Amino acid sequence: MTAVSRCPLPITVLDFIRNSSQPDLEAKWPCEVRSYWLSLRPFVRSVRFLLRYVTPFIITLGVLLNAVSFSMLSAPVLCDSNLSLYLSALAISDNGALIFNYAVSVAKSHSTSVNDLFMNSKFLCGANSVSMEFFQFTSTWLIVALTWTRVIAVVFPFGARDCQNRSAITTITSLVCISFIISLTKLYSGGYETDSVFEFVPCQEKIKPWGSAMYLYIALSTWLPLLFISIGNLLLIVRIRKSYKIHNELTHNFRYRGNRTHNSSRTLLAVSIVHLILLLPLGIVETLELYWDVILIKHPADAGKNERYIHWLQEKMLLKWCRGLCFHIYHWTFAINFFLYYLTGKKFRSVVTQTLKNYTDTYLPCRWNVSRCNTWNNCHRHLRSCSALLTRAVTRNKQFNNTTRSNADERNSNVT
């Protein structure tokens, strides 16, 4: 303990410790760990900046674009397929994740008064734990369901089309119910909220902050969806390539049907592959962190025998903030679906373009004389009339000047 007490770095350099008067802090955070924290702090500051200031931008952008996507997908042109049902449900679930998970976490980290609301209310604390897990879990498995629904539609193209919407509604409803039941386990197992990268004080101490439940949680939220999405995408790509070769040998009518199927599958592939890319780093880091915290856990030992604990604690700190970076990257999956729909879906792009055109033609005001110009055509007419009046005024001014000059010349000639 004497070696620990002589550490030149005070315990306050660990800025994440809220109460530096706790007992045994000197033993829990050796001098080597404090020195390592100073070297890690530039990376931590970058991640903190992303989580505190860039995440609110992602939340605002995502909520607005998901609302626009939902309204576009509800248009009569797009709502005639089960694909629009899945994407509409995904837009609602993504907004729920952005609001109840990330927006609440940002508010807790920025304001202690907001966090106190959850600290002082057991109901709010439990409801927040369930809701933040429910929407994120639902969004992930909606993409899985959408992937395999599309695979079945491509593999069995002559299936009963009349039952597709009904089966989509049944699948979405079942998925929502299962997600809610699984989310109720967050009332008893805290998980990563007890050590959040947003650095707010957890509202309640959970019965099992870690343990076997976390293995199931990570498997259901990351690895199983990743596995199903990967297999589904591979089957879809292989089937589309085979179908494309066959369609090239058929008539023009059948080729057109093949292109429609290909366009719908292209939107699905874009959504699922982007989700796969953004979720994979988070799954890897969460798995490593869980293995490090549960299987390889170390405890403080006597001086001279503390090397393993120091190494374990240093790696634990690094893994936490790597999780924070991957978690921030994963945020984008809830906000960029609108751009994916627009880039890959012809119908969606045409509906958005037409809606934007109608909006600008109806509501965009003119720059001059707003009371007389309600549309761009009226503005153009008014500008043409203004230019005509200006031309007449200039012409009359020239005529007046010429008349004045001629009269002056006559007077001068009379004088001479």
Side-chain angles (χ1 to χ4, degrees):
M1 297 298 294
T2 56
V4 175
S5 61
R6 293 178 182 176
C7 180
L9 299 175
I11 199 68
T12 53
V13 299
L14 304 174
D15 54 4
F16 54 87
I17 296 180
R18 303 177 184 91
N19 185 9
S20 59
S21 61
Q22 299 177 21
D24 299 331
L25 286 180
E26 295 289 338
K28 290 180 180 178
W29 302 98
C31 190
E32 294 85 352
V33 176
R34 303 176 207 177
S35 177
Y36 179 77
W37 173 254
L38 292 179
S39 63
L40 188 64
R41 196 150 59 177
F43 173 66
V44 174
R45 287 176 178 173
S46 301
V47 177
R48 283 174 174 171
F49 177 82
L50 293 175
L51 292 173
R52 293 180 182 178
Y53 301 105
V54 181
T55 297
F57 168 75
I58 298 175
I59 295 170
T60 305
L61 178 68
V63 169
L64 292 176
L65 292 182
N66 286 329
V68 173
S69 298
F70 180 80
S71 62
M72 295 296 104
L73 292 168
S74 301
V77 180
L78 294 175
C79 66
D80 58 346
S81 65
N82 60 352
L83 178 64
S84 63
L85 292 177
Y86 281 107
L87 296 182
S88 299
L90 182 62
I92 296 174
S93 182
D94 285 351
N95 269 357
L98 289 172
I99 295 172
F100 293 101
N101 191 347
Y102 306 121
V104 172
S105 298
V106 171
K108 285 182 179 181
S109 64
H110 278 277
S111 175
T112 55
S113 59
V114 174
N115 195 35
D116 289 340
L117 294 176
F118 295 89
M119 294 285 291
N120 299 327
S121 175
K122 187 176 181 179
F123 172 77
L124 287 179
C125 181
N128 180 52
S129 298
V130 172
S131 61
M132 66 188 300
E133 180 64 24
F134 168 72
F135 288 107
Q136 185 165 311
F137 191 87
T138 302
S139 293
T140 301
W141 282 93
L142 274 174
I143 297 178
V144 176
L146 177 59
T147 301
W148 281 93
T149 300
R150 201 63 200 162
V151 170
I152 294 173
V154 172
V155 174
F156 304 101
F158 300 105
R161 295 182 179 270
D162 297 335
C163 301
Q164 287 184 355
N165 290 344
R166 189 183 306 171
S167 63
I169 294 174
T170 303
T171 303
I172 294 171
T173 304
S174 303
L175 182 59
V176 168
C177 295
I178 295 173
S179 299
F180 180 74
I181 294 173
I182 294 176
S183 301
L184 292 177
T185 59
K186 302 298 286 185
L187 296 173
Y188 305 99
S189 179
Y192 290 103
E193 300 101 273
T194 57
D195 191 23
S196 175
V197 291
F198 288 101
E199 297 184 296
F200 55 80
V201 181
C203 55
Q204 289 180 358
E205 292 294 333
K206 305 297 181 179
I207 298 175
K208 293 182 179 180
W210 293 101
S212 58
M214 288 303 299
Y215 292 102
L216 180 62
Y217 165 75
I218 293 179
L220 291 177
S221 60
T222 55
W223 292 113
L224 284 179
L226 288 173
L227 179 63
F228 288 138
I229 291 173
S230 300
I231 296 175
N233 285 336
L234 289 176
L235 292 176
L236 195 60
I237 292 173
V238 171
R239 186 65 183 183
I240 287 176
R241 293 186 65 179
K242 290 183 178 179
S243 300
Y244 185 75
K245 293 180 181 179
I246 296 174
H247 289 153
N248 286 336
E249 301 174 358
L250 299 178
T251 62
H252 178 72
N253 186 29
F254 282 92
R255 190 179 303 164
Y256 173 71
R257 291 183 181 179
N259 287 334
R260 289 187 61 186
T261 303
H262 175 68
N263 291 333
S264 300
S265 301
R266 185 170 56 184
T267 301
L268 166 66
L269 285 172
V271 173
S272 58
I273 290 176
V274 169
H275 185 83
L276 187 73
I277 294 173
L278 297 179
L279 180 60
L280 182 60
L282 181 62
I284 294 174
V285 174
E286 283 185 347
T287 304
L288 290 175
E289 188 178 11
L290 179 63
Y291 180 76
W292 198 261
D293 284 355
V294 177
I295 305 299
L296 302 180
I297 186 171
K298 299 292 186 296
H299 300 282
D302 296 333
K305 301 179 181 179
N306 220 17
E307 292 81 6
R308 291 185 178 181
Y309 172 73
I310 292 172
H311 174 69
W312 175 83
L313 193 55
Q314 290 174 348
E315 294 298 323
K316 174 180 169 61
M317 296 164 65
L318 177 61
L319 286 172
K320 174 183 176 178
W321 290 104
C322 288
R323 167 166 56 93
L325 178 61
C326 296
F327 193 55
H328 171 77
I329 295 173
Y330 178 62
H331 292 171
W332 287 98
T333 191
F334 300 100
I336 61 175
N337 284 337
F338 174 84
F339 300 107
L340 300 178
Y341 303 158
Y342 187 84
L343 293 175
T344 59
K346 291 183 178 180
K347 279 188 176 182
F348 187 86
R349 185 164 56 248
S350 63
V351 171
V352 172
T353 305
Q354 185 62 37
T355 304
L356 184 61
K357 183 178 181 299
N358 294 337
Y359 179 83
T360 54
D361 290 343
T362 305
Y363 298 105
L364 191 62
C366 301
R367 291 186 178 181
W368 300 283
N369 203 354
V370 177
S371 61
R372 296 178 58 185
C373 300
N374 293 325
T375 61
W376 285 110
N377 292 330
N378 291 335
C379 284
H380 293 162
R381 292 176 185 174
H382 180 64
L383 290 176
R384 285 197 297 268
S385 62
C386 290
S387 62
L389 291 175
L390 182 61
T391 303
R392 292 178 184 176
V394 172
T395 304
R396 290 180 180 179
N397 189 22
K398 289 182 179 180
Q399 292 176 355
F400 177 77
N401 291 334
N402 293 332
T403 304
T404 304
R405 288 177 182 176
S406 62
N407 292 334
D409 293 338
E410 290 178 0
R411 285 196 298 269
N412 292 333
S413 62
N414 292 332
V415 171
T416 55

